[in-house]
Amino acid sequence: GYTKQRYGLRWLTGASVAMSLLTFGILWQGLRDTSAREDHVAALANDATGWEVKVMDVASENDRTLRAWADVQAALVRDSIVPATGRMLLTVMKDSLRAAPVVGDCLLIQGEAEPIDRVPDPGGFDLRQWASSHGAAHECFAAADHWTVIGNARGWLSVFDGARSQIAQWLRDSGLPDRERGLVKALLLGARDELDPDQRTAFVHSGTVHILAVSGTHVGIIYLAVIWALTFLGKGKHGRRVRGLVALLVLWSYAGLTGFSPSVLRATVMFSLFTVAEMVRWQAGSLSNLAAAAFLLLFLDPSMLLQLGFQLSFLAVLGIVILHRPITLLWAPPNAVVGFFWSLLVVSLSAQAFTLPLCLYMFHAFPMWFLPANMVVVGVVGLAVYGGILV
């Protein structure tokens, strides 16, 4: 006969581990939080007239200005340079005689840091909330003659800068009209500096604006496309390892081409863990791998937890992990080509299902046409992204 299993208090193990991790996270966040320190930008803003900063991510760019998230490294206070910490939203006027700052550049800025305290119009864009999601509460404006590049700290990451510049130049020389060129550049590189404002508005209203921000959706499309293309290698040890190595190479090369933006790095780390788990046949499931990726990223930078981009990235991947297979099994494509587009569409729908509630809460808008628009757009975008990498 069968012996009845008595689990008793075995559940306490999981609860104890969860509480231990939560306690560790709170303590680690407290140790890494610099907002209350005397050298934080908030404490120095009233007296500082200049800053040394490092560009971490470009928020937007046009012909005249560049806006970027910058980590503060030092401040000029009463003619003395003092160490400083924190992050600010930096806006610099471009100079036609020199190149615009790029991610990794260290700048000397002459200007004051002002608190971001403007109250938005009802239903309008909330700059405070947007900046807060990136860990910034101050902004600084620098005219063209009030900033200078003093170095670049990208290190080995700079190996991709040449390729990124060549792709941008290739697009400029391709003969594409301005609108089409700006759209292709946004889709492939995540650079929206040439995107027409009317195009941006159309994507927002249709609920497909996520395809213009290179992030988890793009990385997921690339990951699934590579895995699908290499299914012929089989499920043996050799096939798994070759497929995994190719996937890792493609994912990290694409991250380099997009400038290693934080959103792409988050998604690349997550899918890299999935790939390694498949290569070595870890027994942990996808949810465990996702939790491991979250732990790793938050260990390196606990402030990510409050960043909207981090929340959306993990919700998108969580949606893919939970819903991708059930939705995929709802329909059997008649051939491999249709199956490829069906897989891309399922990725988008799975991600949208989990990110939509947060988007509704943050932006107070529901894109009525997001489902039919995604059914048409996402498959084409997936082909464009994958084909663009091959080209």
Side-chain angles (χ1 to χ4, degrees):
Y2 295 98
T3 302
K4 185 177 181 180
Q5 297 292 329
R6 296 183 180 276
Y7 294 102
L9 299 177
R10 196 173 71 171
W11 61 271
L12 281 176
T13 302
S16 300
V17 172
M19 291 303 299
S20 298
L21 289 175
L22 178 61
T23 303
F24 172 79
I26 294 174
L27 293 175
W28 186 247
Q29 169 69 15
L31 291 173
R32 295 291 300 271
D33 186 14
T34 63
S35 59
R37 288 169 41 172
E38 295 181 354
D39 60 350
H40 192 268
V41 59
L44 299 174
N46 292 333
D47 300 319
T49 56
W51 307 88
E52 179 184 338
V53 301
K54 179 182 177 181
V55 177
M56 303 304 296
D57 189 22
V58 175
S60 63
E61 184 177 1
N62 56 41
D63 294 337
R64 299 183 58 190
T65 62
L66 178 142
R67 303 181 81 188
W69 304 107
D71 282 352
V72 179
Q73 298 180 331
L76 179 63
V77 180
R78 302 183 186 91
D79 298 327
S80 298
I81 298 178
V82 298
T85 61
R87 174 168 291 191
M88 66 170 59
L89 176 59
L90 177 66
T91 302
V92 298
M93 296 292 295
K94 289 185 176 180
D95 187 341
S96 59
L97 300 179
R98 52 181 171 163
V102 297
V103 174
D105 278 352
C106 294
L107 311 180
L108 282 180
I109 303 295
Q110 181 182 349
E112 298 181 353
E114 301 289 343
I116 303 176
D117 54 8
R118 293 187 296 276
V119 178
D121 297 329
F125 175 67
D126 192 338
L127 180 61
R128 293 181 304 174
Q129 189 176 55
W130 179 55
S132 178
S133 70
H134 287 81
H138 289 75
E139 60 181 340
C140 182
F141 175 83
D145 57 346
H146 285 180
W147 63 269
T148 183
V149 178
I150 59 174
N152 186 284
R154 285 178 61 82
W156 65 271
L157 302 181
S158 61
V159 299
F160 293 97
D161 292 343
R164 182 177 171 87
S165 299
Q166 288 181 359
I167 293 175
Q169 185 61 46
W170 171 63
L171 289 175
R172 285 192 291 269
D173 298 338
S174 64
L176 286 173
D178 293 344
R179 286 173 59 87
E180 285 74 8
R181 185 180 67 250
L183 180 58
V184 171
K185 188 176 180 181
L187 292 177
L188 294 183
L189 302 179
R192 290 176 280 180
D193 52 302
E194 297 184 23
L195 196 65
D196 190 286
D198 294 337
Q199 289 176 305
R200 190 193 304 266
T201 301
F203 278 100
V204 171
H205 289 168
S206 66
T208 55
V209 70
H210 60 91
I211 69 171
L212 300 180
V214 175
S215 57
T217 301
H218 287 67
V219 177
I221 287 173
I222 294 169
Y223 173 80
L224 290 177
V226 172
I227 298 300
W228 175 84
L230 299 177
T231 51
F232 68 90
L233 294 175
K235 298 182 179 180
K237 181 188 296 184
H238 178 74
R240 292 199 316 271
R241 291 181 177 178
V242 173
R243 185 164 50 244
L245 289 175
V246 173
L248 289 174
L249 177 63
V250 173
L251 288 176
W252 285 99
S253 296
Y254 184 67
L257 291 177
T258 58
F260 287 103
S261 66
S263 59
V264 173
L265 279 178
R266 286 193 296 265
T268 303
V269 168
M270 287 187 284
F271 281 100
S272 294
L273 283 178
F274 296 154
T275 303
V276 173
E278 174 63 21
M279 290 172 63
V280 300
R281 281 296 175 92
W282 283 345
Q283 295 303 310
S286 298
L287 286 176
S288 297
N289 293 330
L290 180 62
F295 181 85
L296 175 62
L297 291 170
L298 292 176
F299 180 80
L300 296 175
D301 184 5
S303 64
M304 281 188 182
L305 184 62
L306 302 179
Q307 297 177 10
L308 180 61
F310 177 87
Q311 298 166 6
L312 289 175
S313 293
F314 269 86
L315 284 175
V317 178
L318 182 62
I320 294 172
V321 169
I322 294 178
L323 297 180
H324 182 268
R325 180 174 176 78
I327 296 178
T328 300
L329 296 177
L330 291 177
W331 180 59
N335 54 62
V337 175
V338 177
F340 173 74
F341 284 100
W342 171 242
S343 179
L344 297 179
L345 176 60
V346 171
V347 170
S348 176
L349 293 179
S350 303
Q352 287 277 350
F354 274 62
T355 57
L356 184 60
L358 181 58
C359 290
L360 289 175
Y361 174 76
M362 296 298 298
F363 305 115
H364 309 292
F366 179 76
M368 296 297 297
W369 292 97
F370 90 93
L371 183 57
N374 275 278
M375 293 181 67
V376 175
V377 172
V378 173
V380 178
V381 169
L383 183 62
V385 171
Y386 195 49
I389 292 174
L390 293 178
V391 171

